[in-house]
Amino acid sequence: MNDSDKKVNQSVVKAFKLLDAFTNDKTSWGVRELALKTGYNKSTTYRLLNTLASLNIVHQNTDEKYSLGSKLFELGNRVAIYKAISKSTNIPIKNVALEIQETVLLSILKEDQVFHINKADSLHGLKINTSIGSYQPIHATASGKLLLAFSEKNTQEKILNRIPLHKVTKHTIDSIKKLKEDLELITVQEYALDIEELELGLVSIAIPIRNKEKKVIASISASGPLSRFRTENIPNYIKTLKKGVVEIEKEFTGFESL
C-alpha cells in the first residue's frame, strides 16, 4: 500500500459509492436494496445513510426509502456560482494585477476563515503560495480582517469568540483587544493591512467589495514583498484596487452574500 492509499478514508469512499447509486432512473433506494447494489452489509449501509441524512445529503421519504437531499443541490449551485464569479472577474483582477504589479486575490468569508475564489499573479515573479479555493486565517490576513470588520456585529462577536488567535508569525495579532482595535480602524479607513502577519517579508492591502445594498460581501487584495511596500503609496494602491472593484461590483449586483 502506498502513502496515498493510506490517506483514503474508507467510510468516505463507501458513502460516495452509495451516493453514486442515485441516478435519474433510480432516484430512491431502500436500505436492503442499496446494500445489495453496493455490496455492503445492511448495518453499514443503514449507518452511512443515517449519517448522510443528518447532513441533509440524503433524506428519508415517507415510504422509508432514501433520496438525494438538498445539501448536494446547494453545494452544486455554490460551485456554479464560484465558477461564474471566477470567470466574470478574471479580466478586472488581471487588470489590477497588471497595474499594481502585485498578486491580486478575490476573497470571501467562509467557515470563520478567508476563502479565496480568484487570483491574478504578479508579473514581478513573486509567487504567493495562496491558491484559488484555499483558506487562510481571518486574524492574520488583510482580507480576513477587512471582512470581519464589516461583518454584522453579532456575527463578528460570535466569530471572535470561536476562532483561535494563533501566532502565524511574530507579527500576527494574538490579542482580542488589539484585533478589535484594528477592526474599528479598518471600518473608518475602509482598507486593511497585513504587514508580515501571515508570512515574513509579505505585505497585503485589502479593500471591500459591496453588493447593490452596499453590504460588504467580498474583498480584493494585493500582496507583495515588504521591500516594495511604501506607506506613502497606500492611496495609490487603493485607487488601483478600486478600479477593479467598480468592474467587479457590476457582476455582484445580484448577490446578497457569497
Side-chain angles (χ1 to χ4, degrees), residues 12-255:
V12 175
V13 172
K14 289 178 180 178
F16 270 89
K17 188 173 180 180
L18 293 184
L19 293 174
D20 205 36
F22 293 88
T23 65
N24 290 334
D25 295 326
K26 181 66 173 173
T27 59
S28 65
W29 291 88
V31 175
R32 185 185 297 276
E33 61 177 342
L34 188 54
L36 288 172
K37 168 70 175 177
T38 57
Y40 303 145
N41 62 52
K42 187 178 176 182
S43 62
T44 296
T45 303
Y46 179 74
R47 175 175 53 81
L48 289 170
L49 285 171
N50 268 354
T51 300
L52 292 170
S54 71
L55 298 170
N56 292 324
I57 294 172
V58 300
H59 72 267
Q60 192 171 23
N61 306 323
T62 53
D63 60 1
E64 297 191 350
K65 290 188 175 184
Y66 290 83
S67 301
L68 294 179
S70 60
K71 177 57 74 172
L72 290 175
F73 179 76
E74 175 191 333
L75 292 174
N77 279 343
R78 196 180 298 169
V79 169
I81 288 170
Y82 291 157
K83 284 184 176 179
I85 289 172
S86 180
K87 183 178 180 181
S88 63
T89 59
N90 275 338
I91 293 175
I93 68 167
K94 283 179 180 177
N95 287 340
V96 171
L98 186 64
E99 184 172 346
I100 210 166
Q101 298 187 338
E102 304 294 359
T103 296
V104 175
L105 286 164
L106 187 65
S107 314
I108 62 172
L109 202 59
K110 188 168 180 274
E111 298 174 6
D112 293 351
Q113 298 177 84
V114 179
F115 182 67
H116 302 297
I117 57 177
N118 209 351
K119 176 185 179 183
D121 284 315
S122 165
L123 297 179
H124 269 279
L126 178 70
K127 299 298 180 183
I128 307 299
N129 290 331
T130 306
S131 59
I132 297 172
S134 65
Y135 290 87
Q136 287 181 327
I138 291 175
H139 69 294
T141 54
S143 291
K145 290 188 294 180
L146 181 125
L147 292 168
L148 187 58
F150 285 99
S151 297
E152 294 181 0
K153 283 299 177 183
N154 61 334
T155 300
Q156 184 183 113
E157 284 299 323
K158 287 178 181 178
I159 292 174
L160 288 173
N161 288 331
R162 286 195 299 256
I163 61 170
L165 300 183
H166 294 313
K167 276 278 191 185
V168 184
T169 74
K170 62 183 180 180
H171 303 289
T172 308
I173 297 174
D174 61 351
S175 157
I176 285 288
K177 182 176 181 295
K178 177 65 175 68
L179 183 56
K180 283 185 174 181
E181 290 173 355
D182 211 10
L183 297 179
E184 288 180 12
L185 178 61
I186 289 165
T187 58
V188 172
Q189 63 191 17
E190 295 222 341
Y191 71 86
L193 286 174
D194 146 26
I195 301 178
E196 297 190 286
E197 294 169 44
L198 181 69
E199 184 179 329
L200 292 176
L202 186 70
V203 178
S204 297
I205 181 169
I207 67 170
I209 296 170
R210 292 176 165 88
N211 62 10
K212 62 182 178 180
E213 282 79 31
K214 302 304 178 183
K215 178 183 177 183
V216 175
I217 58 172
S219 72
I220 184 171
S221 63
S223 302
L226 181 63
S227 60
R228 283 204 295 266
F229 177 75
R230 299 289 181 273
T231 53
E232 60 267 25
N233 286 337
I234 286 176
N236 291 330
Y237 296 144
I238 292 172
K239 183 179 178 181
T240 303
L241 287 169
K242 280 184 175 179
K243 290 180 184 178
V245 168
V246 169
E247 296 304 312
I248 291 167
E249 285 183 344
K250 293 176 184 176
E251 305 295 337
F252 282 11
T253 53
F255 296 102

